[in-house]
């Protein structure tokens, strides 16, 4: 099988056609998809009518399930969470800041799959930002400030009892979020990492989950400068959703919001 892969023309991202994700995929097709994923970092598969079982089966062709500590799963599928909101919901927008999924874990997920079942008539785009490109173009002065530095990650700002989605969250939030004291835990990761599959150096995560930088007295100032650089428009890809579209992205080298 030969896939039809159309790059987005932006800083990352591509659309993949010519494959039906409902059935079992042979090793050669999986290898093609993985190669495209590593090259383009974000892949969109339009016109895929998937059941929950089929979504899980596709995901498992690229690695084991991760652990989602602060989401309630949908019934019968412990590894699928529903990311949604009602039309008249007053709660704050979910995940409306730049982040890599679950970077506060010791072993964060390599990738994420998100499948669109219902989309709004206006808005609802997801933005991605290429962290390999951001590092490659980074001014030497800023790079020298982060070289060798270790960032401290935590979920506390979002999922702790006093976090954004904690005990004072809006009562009408449709998405099932489970806040917990476990969100106060911290985990360390280098600000610059080597991608384990491509060998490319890349920035890793930003203000969404980073709460400190080891050995930096004014870490907040450095984080602000880093955030301004790594989220610049020239490194971004704006994804516009369609119903029945599956998107998979590489958390190791892109941020999203």
């Amino acid at each position: 099988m030969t896939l039809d892969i159309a790059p987005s023309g932006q800083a990352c991202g591509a659309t993949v056609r010519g494959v039906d994700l409902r059935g079992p995929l042979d090793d050669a097709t999986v290898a093609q998809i993985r190669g495209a994923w590593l090259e383009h970092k974000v892949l969109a598969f339009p016109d895929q009518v998937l059941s929950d079982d089929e979504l899980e089966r596709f995901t498992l062709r690229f690695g084991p399930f991760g652990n989602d500590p602060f989401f309630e799963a949908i019934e019968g599928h412990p590894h699928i969470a529903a990311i949604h909101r009602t039309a008249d919901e007053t709660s704050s927008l979910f995940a409306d800041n730049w982040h890599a999924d679950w970077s506060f874990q010791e072993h964060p997920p390599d990738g994420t799959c998100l499948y669109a079942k219902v989309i709004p008539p206006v808005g609802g785009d997801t933005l991605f930002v290429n962290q390999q490109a951001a590092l490659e173009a980074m001014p030497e002065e800023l790079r020298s400030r982060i070289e060798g530095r270790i960032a401290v990650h935590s979920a506390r700002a979002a999922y702790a009892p006093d976090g954004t989605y904690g005990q004072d969250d809006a009562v009408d939030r449709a998405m099932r979020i489970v806040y917990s004291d476990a969100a106060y835990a911290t985990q360390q990761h280098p600000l610059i990492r080597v991608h384990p599959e491509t060998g490319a150096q890349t920035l890793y995560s930003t203000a969404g989950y980073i709460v400190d930088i080891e050995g930096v007295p004014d870490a907040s100032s450095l984080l602000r400068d880093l955030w301004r650089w790594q989220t610049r428009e020239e490194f971004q890809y704006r994804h516009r959703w369609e119903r029945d579209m599956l998107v998979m992205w590489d958390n190791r080298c892109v941020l999203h919001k």
Side-chain angles (χ1 to χ4, degrees):
M1 178 184 296
T2 301
L3 303 178
D4 177 6
I5 302 171
S8 69
Q10 302 178 51
C12 58
T15 299
V16 181
R17 293 182 170 86
V19 61
D20 185 348
L21 304 184
R22 291 175 298 180
L25 301 177
D26 60 51
D27 291 344
T29 300
V30 171
Q32 285 187 70
I33 293 173
R34 192 172 200 101
W37 183 52
L38 294 175
E39 178 181 357
H40 299 288
K41 301 172 177 54
V42 184
L43 296 182
F45 299 83
D47 303 320
Q48 301 288 338
V49 182
L50 301 173
S51 68
D52 295 332
D53 288 334
E54 290 162 345
L55 174 59
E56 288 182 325
R57 182 169 60 195
F58 172 80
T59 302
L60 287 172
R61 293 295 271 136
F62 297 91
F65 291 127
N67 172 37
D68 294 329
F70 305 113
F71 293 166
E72 278 189 21
I74 65 173
E75 186 175 355
H77 294 273
H79 301 290
I80 298 179
I83 312 300
H84 65 122
R85 70 187 281 119
T86 60
D88 57 353
E89 191 169 316
T90 64
S91 67
S92 59
L93 292 177
F94 176 72
D96 193 31
N97 60 358
W98 293 108
H99 65 286
D101 283 336
W102 297 162
S103 70
F104 51 81
Q105 294 181 327
E106 181 180 1
H107 301 290
D110 291 348
T112 299
C113 289
L114 187 56
Y115 179 57
K117 300 186 73 171
V118 179
I119 60 173
V122 177
D125 295 351
T126 299
L127 299 180
F128 296 91
V129 62
N130 184 337
Q131 295 303 279
Q132 180 181 331
L135 181 62
E136 290 172 352
M138 179 176 285
E140 185 57 39
E141 185 277 331
L142 178 56
R143 177 156 183 161
S144 68
R145 295 166 64 195
I146 66 170
E147 197 81 50
R149 294 295 186 183
I150 304 297
V152 180
H153 298 242
S154 173
R156 67 194 189 200
Y159 301 109
D162 57 350
T164 301
Y165 312 119
Q167 55 196 9
D168 293 330
D169 193 16
V171 296
D172 65 344
R173 186 178 296 280
M175 186 177 164
R176 295 180 290 183
I177 298 176
V178 182
Y179 63 84
S180 167
D181 286 342
Y184 293 118
T186 59
Q187 183 63 52
Q188 289 72 42
H189 297 293
L191 278 171
I192 298 176
R193 302 200 310 178
V194 174
H195 193 292
E197 294 190 72
T198 67
Q201 287 191 321
T202 181
L203 295 170
Y204 185 62
S205 200
T206 188
Y209 290 127
I210 294 178
V211 296
D212 199 6
I213 301 175
E214 292 183 349
V216 177
D218 188 10
S220 60
S221 176
L222 177 52
L223 282 171
R224 281 194 300 270
D225 291 344
L226 179 60
W227 177 85
R228 291 190 189 101
W229 177 262
Q230 69 185 149
T231 61
R232 288 165 65 105
E233 188 173 354
E234 60 260 40
F235 308 132
Q236 292 182 22
Y237 160 56
R238 176 179 289 271
H239 178 74
R240 301 188 185 280
W241 289 92
E242 301 171 7
R243 184 186 175 98
D244 298 328
M245 174 179 278
L246 175 70
V247 172
M248 60 184 293
W249 64 84
D250 191 336
N251 284 299
R252 300 165 294 184
C253 56
V254 298
L255 304 176
H256 64 281
K257 70 170 183 174

